Amino acid sequence: MDPVSSSVKNSGELESSKPDSEPSPPPPPRPPVPAPAPDSTQMAISIPRDTEADANPNESDANPSWFTPKRLLVIFCIINMLNYVDRGAIASNGVNGSRKSCTASGTCTSGSGIQGDFNLNNFEDGVLSSAFMVGLLIASPIFASLAKIHNPFRLIGVGLLVWTIATAGCGCSFDFWSITICRMLVGVGEASFISLAAPFIDDNAPQAQKTAWLAVFYMCIPTGIAVGYVYGGLVGEHLHWRAAFWGESILMLPFAILGFIIKPLQLKGFGTSSLTAATDNIEAVDDSIEEKQTIPIENEEISEKQPSKKSGYAKRFATQASRFGKDLKALLSEKVYVVNVLGYIAYNFVIGAYSYWGPKAGYDIYHMSNADLMFGGITIVCGIFGTLAGGLVLDKMESTISNAFKLLSVATFLGAIFCFSAFCFKSLYGFIPFFSVGELLVFATQGPVNYICLHSVKPSLRPLSMAISTVSIHIFGDVPSSPLVGLLQDTINNWRETALILTSILFIAAIIWFIGIFFHSVDRFNEESEHDVPVVERSNLRPLLGGNQEAP
C-alpha cells in the first residue's frame, strides 16, 4: 500500500473515531422567540378554507360522483314538493273534512276530517291553515342570519328534521290547539329550506338557464299542492286524515338524514362565515391564554372570570343582531326588490286563498262531487306548464330584471282576466277552460319573481332576501287571506261573489309589477360584498358543485 494513502487513511480513521472518545459540547440553547401577533391580512387569507375539505385533502376539490348540480336540483325539487303536498293535503276535503251540520227538520250529519273531529268553524279552519306561517315568519330571518356563521347546507338538514317530527305530531294531535302548535313547528322546519334552497340552485345552474332551473324548482309548488289535494282526498277517504300526516313524515325523513351526512356546500358571497368562525377561535385562544396566565389563588378571581364569559355571549349576540339590522336596512333600501315583493304579496294573497278554499268553492258553486281531483288536476297541469313556460320565456327574452317585470305584469294581468271570467260562468264546462288558462298564466310568474329576488341584491344578502320575501308574502298574503276569505264567506254566504272579489286582487299585483319596469335595475349577482373574501382566496372556497358550468 502507498505510504501516503496509508497515512491519510489512518488519519481519517483517527478523525472518525475522535468524536466517540471526545464528544463536542452541545450548542447553547436558542432564546425563545415570542409568537408574532396575529396579522389581520394573513388571517383573511387563511380563513376561507373548508374544515371538512382540509380533513380530507384528497377530496377538497372533488365531490361525490353522484352529487351533481342536476341531482341537487332534483333533491331540492322533491323536498319542495313534499312541503307543498302537506299544504295541499290539509286543504283537501279528505283531510280537512267538514263540520257537523243539522237541518231545520232536525236531521244531523256527522262531521269528517279535522274540521269534524275538532268541531271547527270556517274562521278557525282558516286560522289552522295559516298556523304554520307563525313558525315560518319567525324562523325564516333567523335561519338566514345563521347562514353567516353556520354552513347553510347543515341548517337545511336541521330544518327538515324539525319538519319531519312536526308533521308526525300533526297526526297525533288531540284538539285544535295541539294541531295548531304542530303546524307552527312545521313552519319552523320549512323556514330553513325556503330561505336557502333557491340561492344554492342559482349558484349551480348554468348561466344561460338560471331562470329555467328556478322555474323547475318553483314548479313544485303548484304540483305539490295538487298532489296534496289528491293524496289527502284518497288517504282521508280510505284510511284516516291522521295517516296523511304520518305518510308525509316518513317520506321526508331520508332527506332530513341526507342533510346531515352529505358533504356540505358553501354559498356564493359567504366567506364571512369563515371569518366569523376564525374570529371566535381567536377570542377563544385569547381567553385560554388569559386564564393560563391567571393563577386562581382566591375564590374572588374565579368568580371574576365567570361574568366575562356571560358578557362574551351577550357581546356576540349583540354583534349578530347589529349585523342583521345592517343587512335588513341594506335590503330594504333596494327599491327594485321592495316593489317586486309588494306585487308578490298581492299575488300570494289570491293564490293562498285559492289553494285552501278552491275545492270547497268549486264544490258549492258547480256541485263537483270530486272537487279535490278536479282542482288538483287543473293545478298540477297548469302549474307545471305555466311555471316552466315562464322560466323558459324569460331566458329566451334574455334574463334581465326589467324583462322579468314585463313578463310578471303581462302574465298576471291576462291571468286575472281569465280567472275572473271563469267564475262568471254558471256552467262547469265554461269554468274549466277559462280557469285553466288563467292558472297557466298566473303560474308563469314563479320563475321571474324569484329571479328578481335573487339578482336585485348582493350575493351575501340572497338568503335574507328570500327569507324576507317569504315572510312578507305570507304575513301580508296567504296568512290573512285564508281566514279573511272564510270570514267574508260567512258574511255573504255566496262562494261565487267571494271568488270574484278575491280574484280582482290579481289586477293590483299586475299594476305593481308594471310600475317596476320603470325603476333603474342592475343585476347584482356577480357583485361582491364589502365583507367578502379577497379575490385571490376565492379559489379556496367551494361555493359550487363540480361540473356546474356544464349545460344540461
mmCIF file of all heavy atoms in Angstrom, residues 222-240:
data_model
loop_
_atom_site.group_PDB
_atom_site.id
_atom_site.type_symbol
_atom_site.label_atom_id
_atom_site.label_comp_id
_atom_site.label_asym_id
_atom_site.label_seq_id
_atom_site.Cartn_x
_atom_site.Cartn_y
_atom_site.Cartn_z
ATOM 1 N N PRO A 222 -97.119 24.472 -7.244
ATOM 2 C CA PRO A 222 -98.465 24.048 -7.660
ATOM 3 C C PRO A 222 -98.583 22.543 -7.794
ATOM 4 O O PRO A 222 -99.650 21.974 -7.500
ATOM 5 C CB PRO A 222 -98.648 24.744 -9.014
ATOM 6 C CG PRO A 222 -97.273 25.004 -9.515
ATOM 7 C CD PRO A 222 -96.450 25.275 -8.290
ATOM 8 N N THR A 223 -97.484 21.901 -8.223
ATOM 9 C CA THR A 223 -97.537 20.444 -8.356
ATOM 10 C C THR A 223 -97.738 19.791 -7.001
ATOM 11 O O THR A 223 -98.557 18.871 -6.854
ATOM 12 C CB THR A 223 -96.233 19.921 -8.997
ATOM 13 O OG1 THR A 223 -96.015 20.594 -10.231
ATOM 14 C CG2 THR A 223 -96.325 18.435 -9.250
ATOM 15 N N GLY A 224 -97.005 20.273 -5.996
ATOM 16 C CA GLY A 224 -97.143 19.706 -4.659
ATOM 17 C C GLY A 224 -98.526 19.932 -4.073
ATOM 18 O O GLY A 224 -99.112 19.031 -3.454
ATOM 19 N N ILE A 225 -99.066 21.124 -4.267
ATOM 20 C CA ILE A 225 -100.415 21.412 -3.761
ATOM 21 C C ILE A 225 -101.433 20.504 -4.434
ATOM 22 O O ILE A 225 -102.329 19.943 -3.781
ATOM 23 C CB ILE A 225 -100.759 22.892 -3.987
ATOM 24 C CG1 ILE A 225 -99.898 23.784 -3.080
ATOM 25 C CG2 ILE A 225 -102.245 23.151 -3.712
ATOM 26 C CD1 ILE A 225 -100.077 25.265 -3.335
ATOM 27 N N ALA A 226 -101.297 20.337 -5.762
ATOM 28 C CA ALA A 226 -102.232 19.497 -6.496
ATOM 29 C C ALA A 226 -102.138 18.042 -6.051
ATOM 30 O O ALA A 226 -103.157 17.376 -5.820
ATOM 31 C CB ALA A 226 -101.962 19.614 -7.994
ATOM 32 N N VAL A 227 -100.898 17.550 -5.924
ATOM 33 C CA VAL A 227 -100.722 16.180 -5.444
ATOM 34 C C VAL A 227 -101.266 16.043 -4.023
ATOM 35 O O VAL A 227 -101.848 15.008 -3.653
ATOM 36 C CB VAL A 227 -99.228 15.787 -5.499
ATOM 37 C CG1 VAL A 227 -98.996 14.440 -4.827
ATOM 38 C CG2 VAL A 227 -98.753 15.730 -6.950
ATOM 39 N N GLY A 228 -101.114 17.106 -3.229
ATOM 40 C CA GLY A 228 -101.651 17.083 -1.866
ATOM 41 C C GLY A 228 -103.164 16.978 -1.834
ATOM 42 O O GLY A 228 -103.729 16.279 -0.981
ATOM 43 N N TYR A 229 -103.839 17.668 -2.759
ATOM 44 C CA TYR A 229 -105.287 17.544 -2.851
ATOM 45 C C TYR A 229 -105.684 16.074 -3.069
ATOM 46 O O TYR A 229 -106.547 15.523 -2.369
ATOM 47 C CB TYR A 229 -105.832 18.362 -4.030
ATOM 48 C CG TYR A 229 -105.839 19.861 -3.839
ATOM 49 C CD1 TYR A 229 -105.832 20.706 -4.945
ATOM 50 C CD2 TYR A 229 -105.862 20.427 -2.574
ATOM 51 C CE1 TYR A 229 -105.847 22.086 -4.797
ATOM 52 C CE2 TYR A 229 -105.868 21.798 -2.412
ATOM 53 C CZ TYR A 229 -105.860 22.623 -3.529
ATOM 54 O OH TYR A 229 -105.873 23.986 -3.376
ATOM 55 N N VAL A 230 -105.041 15.468 -4.073
ATOM 56 C CA VAL A 230 -105.376 14.085 -4.423
ATOM 57 C C VAL A 230 -104.954 13.135 -3.308
ATOM 58 O O VAL A 230 -105.718 12.246 -2.905
ATOM 59 C CB VAL A 230 -104.705 13.699 -5.760
ATOM 60 C CG1 VAL A 230 -105.017 12.250 -6.122
ATOM 61 C CG2 VAL A 230 -105.149 14.638 -6.872
ATOM 62 N N TYR A 231 -103.742 13.322 -2.815
ATOM 63 C CA TYR A 231 -103.217 12.465 -1.742
ATOM 64 C C TYR A 231 -104.092 12.546 -0.492
ATOM 65 O O TYR A 231 -104.480 11.523 0.086
ATOM 66 C CB TYR A 231 -101.784 12.899 -1.445
ATOM 67 C CG TYR A 231 -101.189 12.330 -0.173
ATOM 68 C CD1 TYR A 231 -100.713 11.026 -0.114
ATOM 69 C CD2 TYR A 231 -101.063 13.116 0.976
ATOM 70 C CE1 TYR A 231 -100.150 10.515 1.043
ATOM 71 C CE2 TYR A 231 -100.501 12.625 2.129
ATOM 72 C CZ TYR A 231 -100.047 11.327 2.166
ATOM 73 O OH TYR A 231 -99.493 10.814 3.326
ATOM 74 N N GLY A 232 -104.422 13.774 -0.083
ATOM 75 C CA GLY A 232 -105.250 13.934 1.111
ATOM 76 C C GLY A 232 -106.636 13.358 0.920
ATOM 77 O O GLY A 232 -107.202 12.737 1.842
ATOM 78 N N GLY A 233 -107.212 13.548 -0.275
ATOM 79 C CA GLY A 233 -108.538 13.008 -0.528
ATOM 80 C C GLY A 233 -108.567 11.491 -0.478
ATOM 81 O O GLY A 233 -109.461 10.888 0.133
ATOM 82 N N LEU A 234 -107.572 10.845 -1.090
ATOM 83 C CA LEU A 234 -107.543 9.382 -1.128
ATOM 84 C C LEU A 234 -107.233 8.785 0.240
ATOM 85 O O LEU A 234 -107.902 7.845 0.690
ATOM 86 C CB LEU A 234 -106.504 8.918 -2.156
ATOM 87 C CG LEU A 234 -106.814 9.233 -3.624
ATOM 88 C CD1 LEU A 234 -105.657 8.820 -4.522
ATOM 89 C CD2 LEU A 234 -108.110 8.554 -4.058
ATOM 90 N N VAL A 235 -106.201 9.325 0.898
ATOM 91 C CA VAL A 235 -105.832 8.780 2.209
ATOM 92 C C VAL A 235 -106.932 9.038 3.233
ATOM 93 O O VAL A 235 -107.266 8.169 4.044
ATOM 94 C CB VAL A 235 -104.493 9.386 2.686
ATOM 95 C CG1 VAL A 235 -104.165 8.945 4.113
ATOM 96 C CG2 VAL A 235 -103.365 8.989 1.754
ATOM 97 N N GLY A 236 -107.513 10.247 3.214
ATOM 98 C CA GLY A 236 -108.570 10.558 4.163
ATOM 99 C C GLY A 236 -109.799 9.695 3.966
ATOM 100 O O GLY A 236 -110.487 9.329 4.939
ATOM 101 N N GLU A 237 -110.077 9.339 2.726
ATOM 102 C CA GLU A 237 -111.266 8.531 2.443
ATOM 103 C C GLU A 237 -111.053 7.064 2.766
ATOM 104 O O GLU A 237 -111.939 6.410 3.327
ATOM 105 C CB GLU A 237 -111.647 8.687 0.969
ATOM 106 C CG GLU A 237 -112.880 7.876 0.557
ATOM 107 C CD GLU A 237 -113.211 8.032 -0.904
ATOM 108 O OE1 GLU A 237 -112.550 8.852 -1.591
ATOM 109 O OE2 GLU A 237 -114.118 7.331 -1.383
ATOM 110 N N HIS A 238 -109.881 6.523 2.432
ATOM 111 C CA HIS A 238 -109.656 5.088 2.581
ATOM 112 C C HIS A 238 -108.978 4.713 3.892
ATOM 113 O O HIS A 238 -109.128 3.574 4.357
ATOM 114 C CB HIS A 238 -108.815 4.571 1.411
ATOM 115 C CG HIS A 238 -109.508 4.643 0.086
ATOM 116 N ND1 HIS A 238 -109.386 5.728 -0.761
ATOM 117 C CD2 HIS A 238 -110.368 3.781 -0.525
ATOM 118 C CE1 HIS A 238 -110.109 5.525 -1.851
ATOM 119 N NE2 HIS A 238 -110.723 4.356 -1.736
ATOM 120 N N LEU A 239 -108.231 5.630 4.497
ATOM 121 C CA LEU A 239 -107.583 5.334 5.770
ATOM 122 C C LEU A 239 -108.097 6.282 6.850
ATOM 123 O O LEU A 239 -109.127 6.036 7.450
ATOM 124 C CB LEU A 239 -106.055 5.442 5.629
ATOM 125 C CG LEU A 239 -105.390 4.447 4.664
ATOM 126 C CD1 LEU A 239 -103.896 4.737 4.512
ATOM 127 C CD2 LEU A 239 -105.613 3.011 5.135
ATOM 128 N N HIS A 240 -107.375 7.361 7.096
ATOM 129 C CA HIS A 240 -107.771 8.357 8.090
ATOM 130 C C HIS A 240 -106.955 9.608 7.819
ATOM 131 O O HIS A 240 -105.856 9.543 7.261
ATOM 132 C CB HIS A 240 -107.495 7.846 9.515
ATOM 133 C CG HIS A 240 -108.235 8.603 10.582
ATOM 134 N ND1 HIS A 240 -107.744 9.779 11.133
ATOM 135 C CD2 HIS A 240 -109.417 8.369 11.197
ATOM 136 C CE1 HIS A 240 -108.591 10.222 12.037
ATOM 137 N NE2 HIS A 240 -109.626 9.390 12.110
#
